[in-house]
């Protein structure tokens, strides 16, 4: 079956702009996660959804970052007033439970 | 924050040799997982070992876990050029049943 998909695969934006990154999880997976990965580092947890609600958003770096999952399926990560330091690969994962997480290919965000 | 630390940071071996990567972590865990990542994008789940397990096998992969030393190792036997990738360990803490905490990874290069 289809895996986790993320769009766009690459996003280049200018400092101060607003961006939205989309994640389509595997059908039926109730858990959804967002991570951010900088070059040469492991992923860094941002937020975890169980169904429609954000069960843990403690990893969001500041209030410029926000994520939603209104119908318990697709999720959108929103970044306001982007900064150069936001440049990274944003990874989404979904899971049927809380064990194995299945990752999408990521969105490479570049803030100029 | 990253919990796991992999070593070595980089490993280059000849095809056919065995590759061993190690991971250390700091807190008590529920389980430890190994992932592979090609070209800085999609992460692929390899194997999960629970805190009450000591060793697990999957094909050419062998994972060990020593909770007293807070360490794990991943052995890839009879390496192939296609095994070239970055390998990450990720832990799920005892007080969290979902949040993966990642190390910085080991970059493995298999020379043909």
């Amino acid at each position: 079956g289809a895996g986790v998909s993320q769009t766009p695969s690459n996003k280049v934006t200018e400092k101060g702009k607003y961006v939205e990154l989309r994640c389509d999880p595997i059908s039926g997976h109730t858990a959804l996660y967002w991570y951010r990965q900088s070059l040469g580092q492991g992923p860094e947890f941002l937020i975890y959804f169980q169904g429609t609600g954000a069960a843990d958003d403690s990893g969001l770096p500041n209030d410029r970052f926000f994520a939603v999952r209104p119908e318990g399926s697709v999720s959108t990560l929103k970044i306001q007033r982007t900064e150069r330091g936001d440049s990274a690969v944003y990874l989404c994962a979904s899971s049927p439970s809380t064990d194995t997480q299945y990752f999408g290919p990521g969105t490479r965000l570049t803030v100029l | 924050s990253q919990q796991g630390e992999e070593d070595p940071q980089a490993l280059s071996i000849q095809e056919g040799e065995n590759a061993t990567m190690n991971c250390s972590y700091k807190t008590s865990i529920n389980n430890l997982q190994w992932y592979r990542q090609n070209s800085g994008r999609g992460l692929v789940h390899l194997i999960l070992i629970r805190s009450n397990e000591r060793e697990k096998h999957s094909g050419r992969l062998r994972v060990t876990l020593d909770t007293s030393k807070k360490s794990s190792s991943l052995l890839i036997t009879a390496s192939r050029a296609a095994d070239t990738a970055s390998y990450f360990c990720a832990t799920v803490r005892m007080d969290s049943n979902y949040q993966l905490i990642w190390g910085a990874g080991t970059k493995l290069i298999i020379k043909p």
Side-chain angles (χ1 to χ4, degrees):
Chain A
V4 178
S5 63
Q6 292 185 245
T7 54
S9 57
N10 286 284
K11 176 70 178 178
V12 180
T13 191
E14 293 179 342
K15 181 174 177 293
K17 299 288 189 183
Y18 168 82
V19 296
E20 288 190 351
L21 311 179
R22 177 188 167 107
C23 172
D24 279 87
I26 293 172
S27 179
H29 282 193
T30 56
L32 185 146
Y33 314 80
W34 282 98
Y35 294 86
R36 178 169 70 173
Q37 186 177 23
S38 300
L39 193 64
Q41 302 285 324
E44 174 190 5
F45 169 80
L46 295 178
I47 188 168
Y48 158 59
F49 286 91
Q50 184 58 248
T52 60
D56 183 352
D57 64 358
S58 62
L60 295 177
N62 52 59
D63 62 6
R64 295 187 297 105
F65 288 74
F66 189 69
V68 296
R69 195 187 186 199
E71 297 177 357
S73 178
V74 170
S75 177
T76 305
L77 178 65
K78 308 180 181 195
I79 310 174
Q80 297 178 318
R81 304 182 304 279
T82 52
E83 299 177 356
R84 293 196 179 87
D86 299 335
S87 296
V89 175
Y90 288 81
L91 296 162
C92 175
S94 70
S95 174
S97 61
T98 51
D99 278 346
T100 302
Q101 297 182 19
Y102 298 86
F103 282 80
T107 293
R108 186 180 299 280
L109 175 66
T110 303
V111 181
L112 301 176
Chain B
S1 62
Q2 293 184 325
Q3 150 140 275
E5 290 185 10
E6 287 94 336
D7 81 270
Q9 289 186 328
L11 179 62
S12 181
I13 61 173
Q14 290 293 140
E15 192 168 25
E17 293 180 341
N18 295 342
T20 300
M21 289 160 275
N22 302 296
C23 167
S24 60
Y25 57 91
K26 296 173 186 166
T27 64
S28 295
I29 62 170
N30 183 302
N31 65 69
L32 183 145
Q33 305 178 33
W34 285 91
Y35 285 79
R36 184 183 73 208
Q37 186 175 44
N38 291 83
S39 305
R41 296 300 282 266
L43 284 147
V44 175
H45 182 264
L46 296 176
I47 198 164
L48 180 154
I49 187 165
R50 300 190 187 280
S51 59
N52 61 353
E53 297 175 308
R54 292 295 167 258
E55 188 170 312
K56 209 158 179 182
H57 297 254
S58 176
R60 293 184 296 112
L61 305 180
R62 173 178 168 251
V63 168
T64 63
L65 179 65
D66 186 335
T67 52
S68 66
K69 294 181 181 177
K70 292 187 168 58
S71 67
S72 172
S73 68
L74 171 66
L75 168 68
I76 304 174
T77 60
S79 62
R80 304 167 182 169
D83 295 330
T84 294
S86 290
Y87 291 82
F88 293 88
C89 72
T91 55
V92 176
R93 296 196 319 255
M94 285 293 284
D95 61 351
S96 163
N97 64 349
Y98 58 85
Q99 189 179 129
L100 287 174
I101 309 295
W102 300 77
T106 292
K107 190 174 176 72
L108 176 65
I109 296 172
I110 307 299
K111 295 178 285 188

